[in-house]
Amino acid sequence: MRIHDRPLEAGRLSKERKNTLRDSVFESLKALIITGQIPPGARVTENDMAARLNVSRTPVREAFNRLERDGLVVGRPRQGYVVTEFNLTMFREAFDIREMLDGRATELAAANATAADKARLRDMLAECERLAAIPDRSTREQFEELQVGIDLHRVIAEIGGNEMLHGMLCGILDKCQQYVWTELLWLDEWQLTREEHTGIVDAICAGDVALAGERARAHVRGSRENILRLLQAKSDYQGFFAKAS
């Protein structure tokens, strides 16, 4: 290596470390919110989270900016951030849009997937099965499977080749993750979700555009109905006790 190349290499590695820390802090905060460890309506500050994650305030500030763009927190001047409280209207709107986008993205993937793309999807399914086989799974390991499952939909949209659709779907998926976690954890739909993901990937790999799209839309509709029952039950429960008090 030439002497004058070394500072450039060191600078590149330093940048990579910063990016790794930035992404790690973002994913950690996101996981805390989605899994309910920081509940909806809770107020959080940069100082509190920096101390909790044992990092400086800078990556925490950047993470909160990303989370606000994703709709998971709302900034409050001089008060920090508040974790978004999702209601039935927001839920219905998010999943209605997701059904349309996911269906179309999956159709495009079935039409365009290469052998490498198909292998990539199969690898993601295998990773979900690996995580599922871990005995007495921790919350972190369950969250990892959730993340791989959500990322499967992102990759499918990427394979479809429509960049605008991919970007829109990723934004909606960020808003849906908290709901999906609720469904998987409280209704224990892990196995059904794996089976439906496998069916979607099978249709993509077979190049069956119509079947792939229908399976993707049915998958989203089923998830929507499950979560709606939970949210409605929670709303009825809260309404009952509000009247009683």
Side-chain angles (χ1 to χ4, degrees):
M1 179 184 292
R2 292 170 296 176
I3 293 175
H4 68 267
D5 283 342
R6 289 174 184 168
L8 294 176
E9 181 68 13
R12 182 180 67 81
L13 292 175
S14 176
K15 183 177 180 181
E16 287 178 355
R17 281 194 293 270
K18 289 180 181 178
N19 287 339
T20 299
L21 176 62
R22 186 180 297 122
D23 291 340
S24 176
V25 170
F26 170 72
E27 292 298 338
S28 295
L29 281 175
K30 185 177 178 181
L32 289 170
I33 291 171
I34 290 172
T35 59
Q37 295 177 69
I38 303 178
R43 188 175 76 88
V44 288
T45 66
E46 292 176 10
N47 286 337
D48 290 343
M49 290 300 102
R52 183 168 181 171
L53 299 176
N54 195 29
V55 296
S56 70
R57 289 176 55 188
T58 299
V60 173
R61 183 181 306 116
E62 294 172 349
F64 274 133
N65 288 335
R66 291 174 65 182
L67 291 168
E68 187 168 26
R69 288 197 299 271
D70 291 345
L72 293 177
V73 299
V74 178
R76 295 281 188 261
R78 296 180 296 280
Q79 297 180 30
Y81 294 83
V82 175
V83 177
T84 301
E85 296 187 79
F86 293 98
N87 57 41
L88 289 174
T89 299
M90 293 172 65
F91 162 75
R92 289 191 178 100
E93 290 176 352
F95 270 75
D96 284 348
I97 295 171
R98 183 187 166 191
E99 182 180 340
M100 291 185 289
L101 296 178
D102 236 329
R104 183 54 181 156
T106 306
E107 289 171 346
L108 291 173
N112 297 323
T114 65
D117 293 331
K118 295 171 185 179
R120 185 181 180 190
L121 295 176
R122 295 290 189 198
D123 286 345
M124 296 182 79
L125 293 179
E127 177 63 9
C128 285
E129 294 294 342
R130 184 192 70 78
L131 291 166
I134 297 173
D136 300 321
R137 295 197 298 174
S138 65
T139 299
R140 180 181 181 83
E141 288 160 342
Q142 288 178 315
F143 184 76
E144 286 179 11
E145 183 178 349
L146 165 71
Q147 197 65 60
V148 175
I150 291 290
D151 286 345
L152 180 72
H153 293 275
R154 302 183 200 274
V155 171
I156 287 171
E158 180 186 327
I159 291 169
N162 185 317
E163 292 185 8
M164 185 175 293
L165 191 157
H166 175 257
M168 292 171 66
L169 181 58
C170 285
I172 288 294
L173 288 171
D174 286 332
K175 292 177 172 59
C176 291
Q177 273 190 328
Q178 198 168 23
Y179 296 121
V180 176
W181 172 259
T182 300
E183 176 195 16
L184 293 172
L185 193 65
W186 292 102
L187 295 180
D188 195 22
E189 295 285 359
W190 297 98
Q191 183 58 39
L192 176 61
T193 299
R194 290 182 212 110
E195 292 171 356
E196 291 181 350
H197 281 165
T198 298
I200 291 167
V201 171
D202 284 346
I204 291 172
C205 291
D208 193 327
V209 173
L211 182 60
E214 179 49 40
R215 284 181 175 175
R217 283 185 283 269
H219 172 64
V220 176
R221 284 196 301 270
S223 182
R224 178 184 184 275
E225 291 166 6
N226 286 338
I227 300 166
L228 186 58
R229 288 203 312 273
L230 282 173
L231 294 178
Q232 190 63 62
K234 179 181 177 182
S235 177
D236 292 345
Y237 178 83
Q238 291 173 335
F240 173 79
F241 279 97
K243 291 178 182 178
S245 62

